[in-house]
Amino acid sequence: MSKAAGSGSQYDQPGERIPEAPHPLSLQDGSAAAFVGWMRHSAPYIHAFGGKTFVIAFDGEVAQGERMQRLAYDCNLLAALGIRLVLVHGARPQIDAEMARRGLTPVFHKDLRVTDAAALECVKAAMMVTRVEIEAKLSQGLPNTPMAGSYMRVTGGNFITARPLGVIDGVDFQYTGAVRRVIGKEIVADLEQENVVLITPLAPSPSGEIFNITMEEVATEVAVAIGAEKLVFLCDAPGLLDAQGKLVSSVTADAAARALAEGTGLTEDLHLYLPRAIEAVRRGVGRAHLIDRDLDGGLLLEFFTHSGVGTLITRDPIFRFRDARPEDVAALVALIAPMEADGTLVRRSRELLEKEIERFVLVEYDGVVVGSAAIYPFSEENAAELACLAVAPEFRRAGIGEELLRRIEARARAMGLERLYVLTTRTAHWFLERGFREVGPEALPRRKRELYNYQRRSKVFVKELQ
């Protein structure tokens, strides 16, 4: 997305076309159609996230060079879409470089920097330079860049009060601290003014001393204090990995805690960030994300595509099954329209869906409808029809269809019905594998038999409900 939105500008001045700079989306190579499809696909997320607050945390490796440039582009776009942003940065490599310049040796204990008075001076110097450089990246607005014509107001302040970490395992951490308090209402007030809040993990104590706090702790405490929708960590891995080294795309906090205890697939960053992500969702943050810091456009791909590219951590299972409501009609139309177009499903008008919406069961993924099924009872013949079983293509291997079928069967049994019918042109084997048997149209309940479309030639299957 950042490439398409950025270098593709064909205008240096309003109304002046530059033929030497062709738009990267060419109708000839099909990319324009892909772009249109992507934008339409992302629309539900754009609607859902407008006005929500995201806390994005990144370390010193991200806060410099090309990574920071790409992050600035994507944050600019997120802000333009109405998402409220709080950015929390680290500066470990910058601090180490400053200490080396002064002839000092960094000291760590349990992955925490021991900050004595000399180290604190290095921390302050490195943090402030890093912050200024981040602000500069966020303040760009050159023509022919993704930030052309934009203006991001970046603010900060003494939102955090610190306390000394103290002595642990006999080690005095001195000026290494922990969060005592976050003044969340002041951060929210800044966000309501459409500012991007940039937080540096240095904070004073009530006595006026300054303490060095870890970026991940600050990000977590801020996200909890302001009730953020998302807490995002950019890290040195694609996300949480399973025992085979494959990405775990979504996981509950409890399952993530088990993976953390087992130590499976954890990198240096994940050891630090995963516990905080788990803590955040357990304390009320809507979602936590672990995203590869080296993936160009990772934030956009994670937020605006169904499958995402990192690991999503939630307190409860990510798929939510529920009864449909009248306000779901638009989302249902968007889900089933492609399957109606290719003939998989019978076309249903919006008016019909509005009339029959109470017959539907829906499944949501991160608040977006990705599956549906409906039941039409024929009580006089102790039977029902399963209709409009639809699952978004990217989730067809996630077991959603089986769960929707199970729920429709349970509803039919609760009605005292004995048989469940289904008509299909494309998925005969799927139903055969799940206990259905093929019958002729004459076996359908009378009212359904009278409506059978002989030109469509749908196959009829029935399952006895035990």
Side-chain angles (χ1 to χ4, degrees), residues 127-151:
M127 286 285 193
M128 291 305 103
V129 170
T130 301
R131 180 187 178 89
V132 170
E133 291 177 345
I134 293 171
E135 287 186 358
K137 293 292 186 184
L138 295 172
S139 302
Q140 299 172 88
L142 291 174
N144 295 319
T145 74
M147 297 176 71
S150 70
Y151 176 66

Side-chain angles (χ1 to χ4, degrees), residues 266-324:
L266 300 182
T267 63
E268 180 180 357
D269 281 357
L270 293 180
H271 273 290
L272 300 175
Y273 303 161
L274 183 57
R276 295 295 183 178
I278 295 168
E279 176 188 355
V281 298
R282 285 176 170 171
R283 293 173 62 190
V285 174
R287 302 281 190 268
H289 299 255
L290 303 169
I291 304 174
D292 189 345
R293 67 191 181 199
D294 289 319
L295 178 61
D296 188 14
L299 291 176
L300 307 182
L301 292 167
E302 179 71 1
F303 297 154
F304 299 115
T305 64
H306 282 329
S307 54
V309 292
T311 296
L312 170 63
I313 302 170
T314 60
R315 183 172 55 187
D316 302 312
I318 189 63
F319 290 109
R320 178 188 174 212
F321 292 82
R322 62 172 178 82
D323 292 340

Side-chain angles (χ1 to χ4, degrees), residues 108-346:
F108 292 88
H109 180 67
K110 291 187 174 179
D111 293 321
L112 289 174
R113 186 184 300 276
V114 177
T115 312
D116 59 17
L120 181 61
E121 294 305 309
C122 298
V123 170
K124 291 191 290 186
M127 286 285 193
M128 291 305 103
V129 170
T130 301
R131 180 187 178 89
V132 170
E133 291 177 345
I134 293 171
E135 287 186 358
K137 293 292 186 184
L138 295 172
S139 302
Q140 299 172 88
L142 291 174
N144 295 319
T145 74
M147 297 176 71
S150 70
Y151 176 66
M152 296 174 68
R153 293 189 301 272
V154 181
T155 65
N158 57 338
F159 303 124
I160 300 169
T161 303
R163 61 173 177 81
L165 195 59
V167 179
I168 300 176
D169 298 332
V171 176
D172 186 354
F173 279 88
Q174 302 183 61
Y175 292 101
T176 298
V179 173
R180 180 193 298 269
R181 181 189 176 205
V182 176
I183 308 174
K185 64 180 182 180
E186 296 297 334
I187 299 175
V188 171
D190 263 16
L191 293 172
E192 289 176 347
Q193 297 299 314
E194 299 184 356
N195 297 320
V196 173
V197 177
L198 177 61
I199 297 179
T200 298
L202 277 175
S205 70
S207 66
E209 295 178 296
I210 296 175
F211 288 91
N212 176 29
I213 312 175
T214 66
M215 170 271 291
E216 56 270 19
E217 180 183 1
V218 170
T220 301
E221 294 299 328
V222 167
V224 172
I226 65 177
E229 176 72 15
K230 294 182 182 293
L231 169 61
V232 181
F233 288 109
L234 302 181
C235 59
D236 62 355
L240 181 63
L241 306 178
D242 63 17
Q244 288 73 44
K246 296 181 179 179
L247 177 68
V248 178
S249 60
S250 64
V251 65
T252 63
D254 290 343
R258 290 192 293 271
L260 181 64
E262 295 168 358
T264 303
L266 300 182
T267 63
E268 180 180 357
D269 281 357
L270 293 180
H271 273 290
L272 300 175
Y273 303 161
L274 183 57
R276 295 295 183 178
I278 295 168
E279 176 188 355
V281 298
R282 285 176 170 171
R283 293 173 62 190
V285 174
R287 302 281 190 268
H289 299 255
L290 303 169
I291 304 174
D292 189 345
R293 67 191 181 199
D294 289 319
L295 178 61
D296 188 14
L299 291 176
L300 307 182
L301 292 167
E302 179 71 1
F303 297 154
F304 299 115
T305 64
H306 282 329
S307 54
V309 292
T311 296
L312 170 63
I313 302 170
T314 60
R315 183 172 55 187
D316 302 312
I318 189 63
F319 290 109
R320 178 188 174 212
F321 292 82
R322 62 172 178 82
D323 292 340
R325 302 184 292 263
E327 57 267 30
D328 294 317
V329 170
L332 183 57
V333 169
L335 172 69
I336 66 176
M339 285 166 265
E340 291 177 339
D342 68 13
T344 302
L345 296 178
V346 175

Side-chain angles (χ1 to χ4, degrees), residues 348-401:
R348 290 171 171 81
S349 69
R350 187 185 182 99
E351 292 75 15
L352 182 63
L353 290 173
E354 290 175 349
K355 180 180 177 181
E356 300 179 343
I357 192 66
E358 75 279 355
R359 300 183 184 278
F360 282 80
V361 175
L362 302 182
V363 57
E364 292 180 333
Y365 179 87
D366 203 17
V368 176
V369 174
V370 298
S372 71
I375 182 171
Y376 291 81
F378 303 96
S379 301
E380 66 278 8
E381 298 181 56
N382 290 325
E385 180 191 3
L386 164 64
C388 206
L389 179 59
V391 179
E394 52 267 57
F395 294 103
R396 288 175 185 167
R397 296 181 180 272
I400 294 176

